Amino acid sequence: MGQYDATPNVTSKSGPRCIALVGPFQSGKTTLLEAILARTGAIQRQGSVDTATSVGDSSKEARHHKMSVEATFATTNFMGDGYTFVDCPGSIEFIHDMRTVLPAVDAAVVVCEADEKKVPQLQLILRELEEQNIPRFLFLNKIDKADKRVRETIKLLQPASRAPLLLRQIPIWKGDLIAGFVDLALERAFVYNEYAASEIVDLAGEDLSREKEARFTMLETLADHDDALMEQLLDDIQPPRDKVFDDLAKELRDRIVCPVLLGCATRSNGVLRLLKALRHEAPGVAETAERLGVKPSAEAVALVLKTFHTTHGGKMSVARVLTGQIGDGTTLSTPDGEAGRVSGVLKPMGQQFEKRGAAGAGDTVALGKLDGVKTGATLSTGKQPHPALADVKPSPPVLAIAVQARERKDDVKLGVAFTKLTEEDPSLVVVHNAESHDVVMWGQGEMHLRVATERLADRFAVPVTTRPPTVGYRETIRKGVSVRGRHKKQSGGHGQFGDAVVEIKPLPRGSGFQFEDRITGGVVPRNYIPAVEEGVVDGLVHGPLGFPVVDVHVALVDGSYHSVDSSDQAFRTAGRIAMSEGLPQCQPVLLEPIHEVEIVCPSDATAKINAILSGRRGQILGFDTRDGWTGWDVVRAQMPEAEIGDLIIEVRSATAGVGSFKFKFDHMAELTGRTADQIVAARRAAE
Ligand SMILES: Nc1nc2c(ncn2[C@@H]2O[C@H](COP(=O)(O)OP(=O)(O)O)[C@@H](O)[C@H]2O)c(=O)[nH]1
Ligand SMILES: [Mg+2]
């Protein structure tokens, strides 16, 4: 029994832990956090997400949308050790918040349900953990609603995980309900109590033989990486309990297996077992530091997991200290240079931050007033800044909206708000479109952009209006023409005179603009020719259809001048006149940007995705299985930019929220017919 039963409350060698709660949307992560906080005494009683009384999801946006829209940190104590749990949002639109937290956690608890429909989401999240090499437990939640054998559930979920799912507990059924569990490592049976520790009961009869069988399966999986254990099993020798626990811990830490625990977060069942498993088996900060390449040192090294701009406390950088100490007034550096002095070390608890003393290795704390520091930054106190620990890149954005302050006077404030917003959430990208003058906010989906827009109003007090961004249409010509542009003005004394004959002709797609000087005999003096070219370029900015003109060749072939009245300005005007008269005669045609799009989706949605693409004037180039994924496809297509605008909304709804895409510009293509007429008419109306 030893340490696994009556463990005294002594601080373990592992130091304060940092544990991520991750998993599909709605699986019960926020509820589990609440149960953990109640069970460990950090809060008086367990609140619930359903009555908006939980510590997680306490921001205005989360309450409003009834879902986690950003990572929430909460600190507690269990059996003498400090723990910070990070409730990470499960939706793919907010997955970046999880990604930036993961590098510095000791382990992740993947909360999931026995639901086939959630397998693609589960796989998406497990991939992030697998790629970042994070030790992970699976917490099979909502077992109060279980309607199938746990072993069947494991079989259902296994394709989502590269590491074998290792069932550590089996349920005790009472009729159709699960009344408790048998811990296979401990070889003990427990009956659940609501909101209290489970009770030990004796195992007998059928439960006992099921236990033996399930335990053997667990040991066999462990033995795949432990030859000594394999020999014992072959020789029918019972391995000692401590040896089994050691193996469980080792194979978890080496990411060889993913142990599975059962529970019910709403009733706080299985929570204590989970906490004990974390206490005994999850790596400590020293191992995590080693995984990140941080050497033990008196100098502090910390990683920023999240940035908050709070109303009262100003900017907070939540960071995990991997080695050394950070206190109030500590001067920190990032690899880019000095980051500033810490003003306040606080303990994060949902939306609240409480002052605390200096933070040591393992602690996860909010550091006040580090103005230049961004999420993901590596902080250190050494003479030489510590090199960056993690390089977590956001997924390419998939949806854009053009944003404008509702009131002009807020324009400057909006710029500042954007800076803070993107500091908090690097998966949000703000770009200024020099051509259309749109300020465009790119994000990970509809809800992501909606929450960002709400934050602009709520946190930064800048109400905004939004609209779809401008599509980068162009126009070109289909035939050539020769035309004269003549500018003559006699107004009182000094007149103006410029006269240029140009030949306009189409160029192949993608050639841009070319200018040729074919003047002979000095009919247009050398020094005026650049001015003619400038005038021609002026004439291309806004073509007869209302868009920039591309892929044209213009040759200056003839003209005349006046020794007194000619000037650069007059020739520039002549060049512009030639274009505005010539282009409408050249059969102008609209060009639209076509992008190559690569969509990833669960295979059972591929047919739907193909239909969506065809319905949006897409040309399907082919599809393939997604490399390294089970049950996923990649569909490639060429699509007009105008149709990509809100494509993600349809893709997400066809894939239960997990499909995504990336795209890159491929070429400009002619667009004629009704669609083109509508675009040109809309442009005229807008002008
Ligand atoms: N029956 C049951 N419902 C649960 C359990 N855990 C969470 N829920 C419910 O599932 C829903 C989603 O829970 P939440 O914690 O917000 O999930 P999250 O999206 O993963 O954070 C809420 O209505 C919870 O009350 C559980 O163990 N059993
Ligand atoms: Mg949640």
Side-chain angles (χ1 to χ4, degrees):
M1 260 148 277
Q3 56 174 325
Y4 297 101
D5 280 328
T7 318
N9 288 357
V10 276
T11 306
S12 66
K13 294 193 298 288
S14 308
R17 299 305 220 307
C18 184
I19 308 287
L21 304 178
V22 303
F25 180 50
Q26 287 280 309
S27 57
K29 300 172 292 295
T30 305
T31 309
L32 178 62
L33 173 65
E34 194 71 12
I36 290 171
L37 295 177
R39 180 48 68 84
T40 53
I43 53 175
Q44 290 296 317
R45 55 188 290 266
Q46 184 168 341
S48 103
V49 290
D50 305 311
T51 54
T53 51
S54 55
V55 171
D57 291 359
S58 53
S59 74
K60 190 168 170 189
E61 298 83 17
R63 288 271 193 257
H64 176 54
H65 297 293
K66 294 202 165 47
M67 65 185 276
S68 308
V69 298
E70 64 184 324
T72 305
F73 296 76
T75 303
T76 188
N77 238 279
F78 178 62
M79 301 178 90
D81 285 335
Y83 284 80
T84 300
F85 287 92
V86 194
D87 173 14
C88 300
S91 152
I92 187 173
E93 298 191 25
F94 301 99
I95 206 163
H96 192 68
D97 248 40
M98 170 183 97
R99 232 178 244 159
T100 48
V101 165
L102 289 183
V105 300
D106 299 319
V109 175
V110 185
V111 183
C112 74
E113 296 165 77
D115 182 352
E116 196 165 11
K117 293 201 281 300
K118 296 283 185 73
V119 174
Q121 261 204 60
L122 179 63
Q123 188 171 15
L124 206 73
I125 284 155
L126 284 170
R127 268 312 114 91
E128 300 283 337
L129 300 175
E130 287 159 358
E131 258 146 43
Q132 293 204 34
N133 254 322
I134 310 302
R136 67 212 82 111
F137 290 91
L138 203 84
F139 186 77
L140 185 56
N141 192 30
K142 304 197 184 180
I143 56 145
D144 52 319
K145 295 205 304 192
D147 57 359
K148 49 174 129 7
R149 299 265 151 218
V150 170
R151 221 177 316 167
E152 276 170 47
T153 301
I154 298 293
K155 216 180 272 170
L156 198 80
L157 303 180
Q158 182 62 65
S161 170
R162 284 183 177 151
L165 300 179
L166 182 84
L167 191 59
R168 283 189 53 157
Q169 297 174 341
I170 55 167
I172 301 174
W173 292 86
K174 205 173 196 175
D176 287 343
L177 292 177
I178 292 179
F181 66 94
V182 184
D183 190 295
L184 299 175
L186 213 52
E187 292 188 279
R188 280 261 165 116
F190 297 85
V191 169
Y192 291 136
N193 278 323
E194 208 165 342
Y195 306 118
S198 303
E199 217 170 300
I200 298 187
V201 293
D202 283 337
L203 256 191
E206 200 204 330
D207 282 339
L208 190 63
S209 57
R210 276 201 310 124
E211 187 271 334
K212 291 266 175 283
E213 196 190 324
R215 178 176 160 87
F216 191 75
T217 308
M218 178 184 85
L219 295 178
E220 261 184 322
T221 309
L222 287 176
D224 281 344
H225 296 274
D226 180 345
D227 294 340
L229 180 62
M230 184 61 96
E231 267 175 43
Q232 287 179 330
L233 291 183
L234 290 174
D235 294 344
D236 222 4
I237 299 169
Q238 273 299 316
R241 187 178 291 166
D242 282 353
K243 160 86 182 142
V244 174
F245 275 112
D246 286 350
D247 261 29
L248 278 169
K250 179 172 185 306
E251 297 198 10
L252 166 86
R253 289 168 190 218
D254 293 346
R255 283 87 67 185
I256 293 169
V257 298
C258 174
V260 180
L261 300 161
L262 313 177
C264 167
T266 39
R267 294 182 201 177
S268 187
N269 291 154
V271 173
L272 203 56
R273 272 292 120 195
L274 171 67
L275 288 168
K276 288 197 175 171
L278 291 173
R279 173 175 168 87
H280 294 298
E281 293 160 38
V285 63
E287 265 178 84
T288 302
E290 196 186 324
R291 165 163 57 77
L292 291 168
V294 177
K295 298 203 176 60
S297 153
E299 302 290 359
V301 179
L303 185 66
V304 178
L305 312 183
K306 171 121 185 113
T307 307
F308 291 97
H309 289 277
T310 62
T311 333
H312 301 300
K315 180 172 168 180
M316 300 279 176
S317 304
V318 178
R320 176 131 203 248
V321 183
L322 294 152
T323 182
Q325 263 216 352
I326 297 179
D328 208 358
T330 302
T331 301
L332 293 167
S333 314
T334 66
D336 303 333
E338 193 169 304
R341 269 163 64 100
V342 174
S343 171
V345 178
L346 302 97
K347 181 175 99 167
M349 189 68 180
Q351 296 291 299
Q352 312 296 323
F353 296 89
E354 290 161 32
K355 274 233 160 8
R356 55 160 282 169
D363 281 324
T364 304
V365 288
L367 304 172
K369 297 272 166 354
L370 295 174
D371 281 335
V373 170
K374 293 200 173 117
T375 302
T378 300
L379 305 173
S380 57
T381 54
K383 270 216 183 66
Q384 289 291 322
H386 197 282
L389 296 178
D391 180 20
V392 181
K393 296 239 177 351
S395 308
V398 288
L399 186 64
I401 45 172
V403 180
Q404 224 177 356
R406 194 171 289 161
E407 289 175 56
R408 273 220 87 133
K409 67 171 175 50
D410 283 345
D411 279 357
V412 175
K413 226 161 115 188
L414 180 62
V416 176
F418 274 140
T419 307
K420 291 182 174 173
L421 200 58
T422 48
E423 248 176 33
E424 283 185 5
D425 179 1
S427 70
L428 203 62
V429 182
V430 177
V431 284
H432 185 250
N433 184 331
E435 188 185 298
S436 65
H437 302 294
D438 285 352
V439 177
V440 180
M441 187 158 75
W442 279 93
Q444 307 292 329
E446 212 182 0
M447 184 63 86
H448 187 220
L449 289 181
R450 194 177 306 160
V451 168
T453 312
E454 286 166 9
R455 278 191 190 144
L456 285 173
D458 296 346
R459 279 193 208 175
F460 305 111
V462 193
V464 294
T465 54
T466 64
R467 59 185 167 75
T470 314
V471 174
Y473 292 113
R474 296 284 182 272
E475 58 182 274
T476 188
I477 52 171
R478 282 173 155 174
K479 74 177 195 55
V481 73
S482 180
V483 64
R484 176 183 294 272
R486 199 176 140 90
H487 177 58
K488 184 171 181 202
K489 218 170 192 177
Q490 216 68 57
S491 50
H494 207 2
Q496 292 177 39
F497 184 86
D499 175 30
V501 178
V502 296
E503 272 178 27
I504 309 173
K505 62 176 200 212
L507 282 178
R509 203 61 58 244
S511 311
F513 165 67
Q514 289 169 10
F515 183 80
E516 188 188 0
D517 161 23
R518 292 219 305 263
I519 292 297
T520 51
V523 289
V524 176
R526 279 312 74 201
N527 53 318
Y528 292 136
I529 291 175
V532 175
E533 182 174 351
E534 277 172 38
V536 166
V537 170
D538 291 342
L540 295 173
V541 171
H542 190 274
L545 303 180
F547 299 97
V549 184
V550 294
D551 302 342
V552 289
H553 181 276
V554 176
L556 175 62
V557 292
D558 201 359
S560 60
Y561 73 103
H562 187 280
S563 56
V564 179
D565 291 347
S566 280
S567 64
D568 280 350
Q569 194 49 50
F571 269 99
R572 184 168 177 168
T573 308
R576 194 170 62 231
I577 292 172
M579 295 311 287
S580 68
E581 282 179 13
L583 285 171
Q585 303 168 44
C586 295
Q587 283 183 10
V589 62
L590 195 63
L591 290 177
E592 67 169 343
I594 306 289
H595 297 260
E596 189 158 322
V597 188
E598 207 179 276
I599 301 177
V600 291
C601 61
S603 310
D604 57 9
T606 306
K608 269 195 263 176
I609 294 294
N610 283 341
I612 291 169
L613 295 179
S614 309
R616 288 173 171 262
R617 301 191 285 132
Q619 277 233 350
I620 293 166
L621 303 174
F623 76 100
D624 222 326
T625 53
R626 186 176 187 186
D627 214 16
W629 290 62
T630 316
W632 285 66
D633 285 340
V634 185
V635 183
R636 285 188 312 114
Q638 287 197 337
M639 292 206 43
E641 181 171 307
E643 300 286 343
I644 297 173
D646 57 358
L647 174 65
I648 192 65
I649 298 170
E650 256 188 287
V651 167
R652 291 272 155 80
S653 79
T655 57
V658 294
S660 209
F661 64 76
K662 55 184 185 191
F663 63 96
K664 73 171 199 292
F665 174 76
D666 196 72
H667 65 279
M668 299 296 290
E670 285 187 12
L671 178 64
T672 54
R674 265 195 53 183
T675 318
D677 295 344
Q678 281 165 359
I679 293 163
V680 173
R683 178 73 172 197
R684 293 230 163 94
E687 283 164 1

